[in-house]
Amino acid sequence: MNERDTEHMLAELKEKENYIATDDFKSADLILINTCSVREKPVAKLFSELGIFNKKKKEGAKIGVCGCTASHLGREIIKRAPYVSFVLGARNISKITEVLHKPKAVEIDINYDESEFAFKDFRSSKYKAYINISIGCDKSCTFCIVPKTRGDEISIPMNLIVDEASRAVSLGAKEIFLLGQNVNNYARRFSGNHEKTNFTKLLQNLSKIDGLERIRFTSPHPFHMDDEFIQEFAKNPKICKSMHMPLQSGSTKVLQDMKRGYTKEWFLNRVQKLREMVPDVSISTDIIVAFAGESEKDFEDTIDVMNQVKFEQVFSFKYSPRPQTEAEFFPDVIDSDTASARLTRLQELHIKQLDEKNASKLGNIYEVYFEELYNDGFVSGRSDNNIVIKVKGSEELLGEFKDVKIISIGRTVLTGEIIK
Ligand code: 5AD
Ligand code: SF4
C-alpha cells in the first residue's frame, strides 16, 4: 500500500511539478520518506534516518515526511526535527504538490476523502499494476493503529478501478494487484451514491478485461471469507491461486481480545474449504506473538494452527503496543524474553515446514510470469500460486509467460529452466 502511495506521489510530482525520481539522495531537491507506524521500530528508525538525510542532503533540499507516522505524529515531527519541510498524512497524499510550496505544512486529516481523486499515472513496474480499491479501515482490531492513521474505510468506485486496470493493461501490464486493508469488504461504503455491489462482482468485472491475465489482491479478512467469495476465487481462472489470510493468533480467546471477529475453528474451516476447492492454493499469513495476555496455552493454539495449515509464507511479529489503540494499556504484558522465544519457535517451525514443502517441488512445472531482471544473468517471476522462480535469461523474458521446470531448490526462490 505504501508503495502504491509512493507511486501516486511520484506521479503528481512528475506531471505537475516536473520532478524526476532519483535514487541518489545527495543530489535530490526533495527527499520523501514514506513511513509505516504499525510497529514501534520503524517510527524510531524515522528519526535516525531523518538526521542522516539532513546532514548529507544538498543545500536547500526539502525533506517531507509522509505516510502513517506522519498521520499519527503530525506537527510533533517538525518539533523533533525542525529541518523537516512538511508532514503529509497517509490519507492526504493528493496534496503533495500543495505542501511542497507551504513551508512547515502539516496535512494529516484522516477524514479527507481521496477515494475519487484522479491521481496522475506512474508505475514502477510495467508488468504488474498496483491498484487501490479502498482507502482506510473500518475494523477496530485492538492492537492496530491503522484506522487512526488511514481513517474510515471508503471504497473507490468500481468504474474508476476498471478504467485504471484497463489503462494499465493497454500499457503492457498483464497482472494487476488490488490493494485495500480489507479487500473482501469492498463496497461497504462509497463517498457518493453507488449501486449495491461487492468484491466478487468487482473481480468478475475486472476479469472481463481483454489482455489481463492475472489478478492478485491483498489483504482479504478471514471474517469476510464467505462461500461466495471462495467459490469465485476457485472458479475464476484469472484470479491467482494464492491467498493471504492474516491469522494474527490461533487462540480464540486472544482473537476475541484482539476483536478480530472470528474463532480458531472458523479460520481452520475457511482454510479447509479453500484447500478442498483449490488443492494447489498457497496460503500466506500474518501472526502476532505475545499479544497482551497470551498464555502458553494460547500460543500452543497458534502452533497448532501452523501445524494444521502449513502456511506457504508467514509474516510474524512480536506484539508492539501502539498509541491510540485499545490494547495500548491492556494488562498482562508478556515479557520480552518470552516474546522472543515464542517468535523464534514459530519462525523455526515455519522454516522446517517450508523446507519440507519446497523439497517436493523439484521437477515440478509451473507457468511463470517474468517481471524482474537480476544483475547476475537471471530473470525472476512468479507462478500463479505465488512461488518465486528464477531462470537464466535476459530482458526479453520480462512480461512473458513460460513453462518452467524446477531444477534446484532455495528457501525463498526456486531455480528452473524454461521448457516451453
Ligand atoms: N504489533 C505487532 N504487529 C502488528 N501488526 C499490526 N499491528 C501490530 C502491532 N501493534 C501486524 C499484523 C498485521 C500486519 C500488517 O502487521 O499482523 O496483519
Ligand atoms: Fe488493522 Fe484490523 Fe484494519 Fe487490518 S483489519 S488494518 S489489522 S484494524
Side-chain angles (χ1 to χ4, degrees):
M1 196 151 279
N2 270 6
E3 280 181 35
R4 183 62 184 144
D5 288 348
T6 301
E7 289 180 349
H8 277 150
M9 289 192 283
L10 292 179
E12 291 296 296
L13 287 166
K14 181 166 164 267
E15 291 285 331
K16 297 182 180 163
E17 299 281 339
N18 283 325
Y19 276 82
I20 52 165
T22 171
D23 287 334
D24 173 24
F25 76 84
K26 289 183 190 146
S27 68
D29 299 302
L30 171 65
I31 298 170
L32 294 178
I33 309 185
N34 201 4
T35 58
C36 174
S37 61
V38 142
R39 284 168 294 277
E40 198 180 358
K41 234 190 201 160
V43 179
K45 200 169 152 208
L46 166 68
F47 287 98
S48 63
E49 295 221 331
L50 274 174
I52 297 171
F53 286 134
N54 184 46
K55 220 185 263 165
K56 301 201 175 159
K57 76 181 170 71
K58 192 166 93 176
E59 178 79 35
K62 292 178 183 165
I63 301 182
V65 177
C66 317
C68 282
T69 304
S71 305
H72 119 245
L73 291 181
R75 190 161 298 281
E76 169 82 24
I77 294 175
I78 297 185
K79 278 198 199 130
R80 284 175 66 179
Y83 47 83
V84 165
S85 318
F86 58 85
V87 174
L88 188 66
R91 199 164 158 143
N92 298 257
I93 52 175
S94 61
K95 299 179 194 160
I96 179 72
T97 54
E98 269 172 53
V99 291
L100 205 55
H101 304 293
K102 280 200 236 160
K104 307 295 169 198
V106 176
E107 293 284 350
I108 54 170
D109 179 5
I110 61 162
N111 295 311
Y112 190 65
D113 182 358
E114 296 192 310
S115 66
E116 297 189 18
F117 187 82
F119 282 103
K120 300 289 179 192
D121 248 350
F122 173 90
R123 299 191 181 281
S124 37
S125 166
K126 209 171 109 185
Y127 311 104
K128 174 170 73 183
Y130 287 126
I131 299 178
N132 287 347
I133 68 163
S134 61
I135 58 176
C137 178
D138 262 15
K139 300 275 183 236
S140 31
C141 303
T142 55
F143 55 79
C144 184
I145 195 174
V146 170
K148 294 290 186 320
T149 61
R150 289 187 177 268
D152 289 347
E153 191 168 321
I154 305 184
S155 297
I156 293 168
M158 182 149 357
N159 61 319
L160 296 185
I161 299 170
V162 174
D163 285 353
E164 188 178 343
S166 306
R167 258 196 334 273
V169 171
S170 71
L171 293 171
K174 293 175 186 157
E175 178 175 315
I176 59 170
F177 204 130
L178 308 176
L179 301 171
Q181 302 296 342
N182 287 302
V183 287
N184 50 344
N185 198 23
Y186 177 73
R188 172 177 171 80
R189 180 190 301 118
F190 290 101
S191 105
N193 283 333
H194 287 270
E195 207 179 294
K196 204 169 161 10
T197 183
N198 62 23
F199 188 51
T200 303
K201 295 207 181 76
L202 175 65
L203 291 171
Q204 287 165 348
N205 282 343
L206 286 167
S207 36
K208 288 183 200 145
I209 298 174
D210 274 344
L212 175 62
E213 308 280 347
R214 286 185 169 186
I215 302 174
R216 298 188 191 275
F217 50 80
T218 202
S219 291
H221 195 296
F223 174 79
H224 296 289
M225 289 196 177
D226 53 25
D227 287 357
E228 185 197 75
F229 167 68
I230 295 181
Q231 267 152 21
E232 178 64 23
F233 178 83
K235 73 166 203 279
N236 185 331
K238 290 195 178 178
I239 299 180
C240 291
K241 301 305 179 243
S242 96
M243 185 80 89
H244 188 62
M245 293 181 68
L247 169 68
Q248 311 302 0
S249 168
S251 151
T252 296
K253 186 222 161 239
V254 174
L255 288 169
Q256 254 165 11
D257 292 347
M258 290 176 164
K259 295 208 173 139
R260 289 289 292 173
Y262 52 87
T263 59
K264 175 185 183 186
E265 288 68 32
W266 167 259
F267 188 91
L268 288 171
N269 170 284
R270 295 295 86 187
V271 169
Q272 193 189 0
K273 174 106 193 164
L274 201 57
R275 289 239 161 99
E276 253 166 45
M277 298 195 68
V278 190
D280 64 345
V281 65
S282 70
I283 304 180
S284 56
T285 197
D286 292 344
I287 295 177
I288 298 176
V289 301
F291 185 63
E294 183 189 77
S295 66
E296 273 306 320
K297 187 176 155 292
D298 293 323
F299 179 63
E300 288 305 328
D301 272 328
T302 300
I303 295 290
D304 183 43
V305 175
M306 293 267 300
N307 281 323
Q308 292 198 49
V309 178
K310 298 198 168 64
F311 296 100
E312 269 68 24
Q313 206 175 6
V314 177
F315 300 93
S316 50
F317 317 99
K318 269 194 266 184
Y319 170 57
S320 165
R322 307 305 296 125
Q324 302 172 48
T325 60
E326 212 182 314
E328 184 186 2
F329 300 112
F330 276 9
D332 305 326
V333 173
I334 308 299
D335 68 86
S336 114
D337 287 351
T338 307
S340 299
R342 287 181 189 170
L343 188 67
T344 305
R345 186 169 155 215
L346 187 138
Q347 290 178 340
E348 283 175 358
L349 173 61
H350 172 59
I351 284 174
K352 185 170 147 272
Q353 292 176 340
L354 194 64
D355 287 348
E356 279 166 16
K357 278 194 179 207
N358 279 347
S360 70
K361 292 186 179 128
L362 200 64
N364 284 4
I365 294 168
Y366 297 97
E367 190 185 36
V368 176
Y369 179 52
F370 288 100
E371 51 180 311
E372 199 181 340
L373 188 64
Y374 294 167
N375 46 17
D376 59 355
F378 281 87
V379 184
S380 84
R382 284 170 194 265
S383 68
D384 179 284
N385 62 355
N386 215 23
I387 306 168
V388 181
I389 297 170
K390 65 174 187 176
V391 301
K392 274 219 168 75
S394 55
E395 253 170 328
E396 300 88 74
L397 282 175
L398 295 174
E400 296 292 318
F401 285 91
K402 299 281 178 202
D403 286 342
V404 174
K405 183 173 179 178
I406 303 304
I407 53 170
S408 96
I409 303 290
R411 193 163 276 155
T412 50
V413 184
L414 309 186
T415 307
E417 61 189 13
I418 293 173
I419 54 167
K420 198 157 73 134

